Amino acid sequence: MIEFFANSKRLLGRKRYYLYATPIAEFFSYFLRKYLLAKSDLLIITAYFESVLLQKTVENRNNILFLPWCNQLPEGYEIKYGFQHKKSQAIFAGELSNITINENFINVIQFLLENEIVNKIVIIGVGKKINVINKLIKKYGNKIEYKGALTRNEVLHEILISQFAINATKEGGWGFIGECFALGTPLLYVNNHYNFNNYIDSVCIDFENPSLSKILKDLLKNENNYIQIQENAFKR
């Protein structure tokens, strides 16, 4: 999301504009950008973006602040380093949409299960792509645990005890990503749309890398390397 703060006598000297930088909104937001930017004192970007049009619009502006999406954890939830408390599972939590449940998502699950990286995939969320989840359950049986909709605390608990988290999107918010960083669950990503740092704060799922399976299995054997990724992700 992008927030535009602009001086306005009508609203106690400040007016707030919201503009979502997504492909759906891009066509419409293109016509609003020049007006909003001309009126704004500060542009706060809460997510990285790759929109060429938007980059051209905001380039050479000094009053731009990037603020990663913040995740305030409830009392009693905090990062736990190492993997002694972890279960042999990877997790995804979020809306089951075309953005999140795509071909790469399916490929990551197949890779993790068929190479025995984890014993189980936990999926939390609801949405129109539930049919894809049902097909995965039919194929892998109890290795896919679909939990539907849970409370936030229940989701946080599942993230906390998972060895890995799955992000196969090309866009989207920081919510699930930030909570994984905050709770010490290393993120497995396919597309580097948020400036992830491979094997530093997360792990890239590069299907063309013949050593990928070994890299992940070795990571689950070397707690020092696992903790280093947790620490670097938490710093973000």
Side-chain angles (χ1 to χ4, degrees):
M1 181 168 56
I2 296 177
E3 297 184 10
F4 296 89
F5 294 90
N7 287 332
S8 173
K9 294 181 180 179
R10 290 175 296 174
L11 292 175
L12 300 178
R14 175 156 291 191
K15 181 183 291 185
R16 175 178 292 185
Y17 299 93
Y18 294 95
L19 175 65
Y20 283 84
T22 65
I24 296 175
E26 184 164 331
F27 175 78
F28 300 100
S29 63
Y30 174 77
F31 298 99
L32 295 174
R33 287 178 198 138
K34 289 187 178 180
Y35 172 77
L36 295 175
L37 288 168
K39 297 290 185 179
S40 66
D41 300 314
L42 176 65
L43 171 61
I44 302 179
I45 302 176
T46 59
Y48 283 108
F49 53 88
E50 295 183 2
S51 165
V52 174
L53 287 175
L54 188 53
Q55 288 176 356
K56 288 182 178 179
T57 304
V58 302
E59 66 182 357
N60 299 322
R61 287 180 63 89
N62 295 321
N63 54 339
I64 298 175
L65 172 65
F66 171 69
L67 180 66
W69 187 263
C70 53
N71 293 75
Q72 183 66 44
L73 296 176
E75 185 177 351
Y77 287 86
E78 59 184 19
I79 188 169
K80 292 184 179 180
Y81 292 105
F83 46 56
Q84 298 306 315
H85 63 286
K86 300 283 192 180
K87 292 184 178 181
S88 180
Q89 66 184 41
I91 186 171
F92 167 79
E95 182 184 4
L96 307 182
S97 68
N98 291 330
I99 293 176
T100 57
I101 311 303
N102 52 35
E103 184 177 357
N104 280 330
F105 178 83
I106 297 170
N107 291 338
V108 171
I109 288 177
Q110 291 176 339
F111 181 86
L112 294 177
L113 293 178
E114 292 175 9
N115 285 278
E116 299 181 338
I117 308 299
V118 295
N119 294 332
K120 181 173 64 175
I121 306 293
V122 174
I123 300 173
I124 302 170
V126 295
K128 63 182 181 181
K129 300 296 285 188
I130 183 63
N131 60 310
V132 176
I133 308 304
N134 289 333
K135 289 179 181 179
L136 289 169
I137 293 173
K138 185 175 181 180
K139 181 176 181 179
Y140 293 107
N142 59 10
K143 291 184 179 181
I144 303 290
E145 184 174 356
Y146 175 61
K147 290 181 172 288
L150 299 180
T151 67
R152 182 165 184 249
N153 284 5
E154 289 171 331
V155 175
L156 293 176
H157 174 73
E158 290 295 332
I159 293 174
L160 183 65
I161 64 174
S162 297
Q163 290 177 328
F164 294 114
I166 301 171
N167 182 352
T169 67
K170 295 182 179 179
E171 58 180 309
W174 275 92
F176 176 57
I177 297 170
E179 286 169 349
C180 293
F181 285 174
L183 291 169
T185 300
L187 187 73
L188 305 180
Y189 68 90
V190 179
N191 302 293
N192 194 359
H193 56 315
Y194 285 139
N195 286 1
F196 300 125
N197 300 286
N198 187 29
Y199 217 67
I200 296 177
D201 57 34
S202 47
V203 181
C204 177
I205 298 299
D206 179 3
F207 297 111
E208 296 182 0
N209 183 352
S211 301
L212 180 59
S213 176
K214 183 178 185 303
I215 289 172
L216 294 175
K217 289 179 179 178
D218 287 349
L219 182 58
L220 293 175
K221 296 176 183 177
N222 190 321
E223 193 164 26
N224 288 334
N225 289 348
Y226 192 90
I227 290 173
Q228 187 174 33
I229 290 177
Q230 289 177 309
E231 290 177 339
N232 291 331
F234 185 79
K235 291 175 183 178
R236 295 193 62 172

